[in-house]
Amino acid sequence: MTAPEPGPAEPVGHVGPVGPVGDLTDGPGVPVPEHGAWLRRGISRNGGPLVEDREVVWLQAGSYYADSRGFAGTTSFDGSRVHFHHLTGEPGEDAGTFRWDGADLVERGTNPDGSTFLEVWTPLPTADDDACGSWSGPDHHVVRVGRHVVHVDSRTGTYWRL
């Protein structure tokens, strides 16, 4: 492994208004891809502007996921919403509706405290035959998708690019 990858190539900060994101009307969403590495390009909280103030990476390997913000666990899809069951790190569960907007995934959801969010996820480069896997222990969880690895423990989440 190498040290964490430096931040995104473009400046972090204001991304733009939520309006330009594709059709986000209510209704059933799509399941998340079985395997994927995603960089968050922006978040809108409670209908506010879409902004990004840090690098956030989400990896999905089968039903297991890890988020560099410090939580990991399993996902399930109920036919409309994806549920993120936090098993390691920050406790709780959150649920979101995903829709494709070109190559990006756009997620609308509700946090455990009832606040709402919209996140735009851009795929990180991986090859179709890249190694994927998930490993866990009593107080940690690791997910790898190709060259991307997220480790989550009871204190924090860390992203590395191999």
Side-chain angles (χ1 to χ4, degrees):
M1 283 192 214
T2 60
E5 187 174 318
E10 44 190 72
V12 172
H14 182 72
V15 175
V18 174
V21 176
D23 179 17
L24 298 174
T25 58
D26 290 332
V30 298
V32 295
E34 283 283 316
H35 301 99
W38 303 89
L39 175 66
R40 189 178 74 185
R41 301 306 292 166
I43 184 169
S44 166
R45 292 180 175 90
N46 295 315
L50 190 66
V51 298
E52 188 55 77
D53 59 1
R54 62 182 167 154
E55 181 180 58
V56 177
V57 173
W58 154 44
L59 302 181
Q60 187 76 36
S63 64
Y64 295 95
Y65 78 92
D67 187 304
S68 65
R69 291 173 285 188
F71 50 94
T74 60
T75 56
S76 62
F77 181 63
D78 66 11
S80 178
R81 297 169 63 82
V82 175
H83 297 266
F84 291 86
H85 311 280
H86 302 200
L87 304 177
T88 304
E90 182 182 315
E93 177 181 310
D94 60 274
T97 302
F98 284 84
R99 290 195 178 69
W100 290 102
D101 185 33
D104 293 343
L105 270 175
V106 178
E107 176 187 9
R108 293 178 80 176
T110 305
N111 291 306
D113 67 3
S115 61
T116 61
F117 63 89
L118 179 144
E119 291 175 297
V120 178
W121 297 97
T122 298
L124 289 166
T126 62
D128 289 338
D129 60 350
D130 277 349
C132 290
S134 174
W135 302 267
S136 62
D139 62 351
H140 70 279
H141 198 99
V142 178
V143 173
R144 176 181 178 184
V145 177
R147 298 178 62 183
H148 308 283
V149 177
V150 172
H151 172 272
V152 175
D153 60 31
S154 60
R155 295 168 293 146
T156 190
T158 306
Y159 166 63
W160 288 283
R161 183 171 172 255
L162 305 177

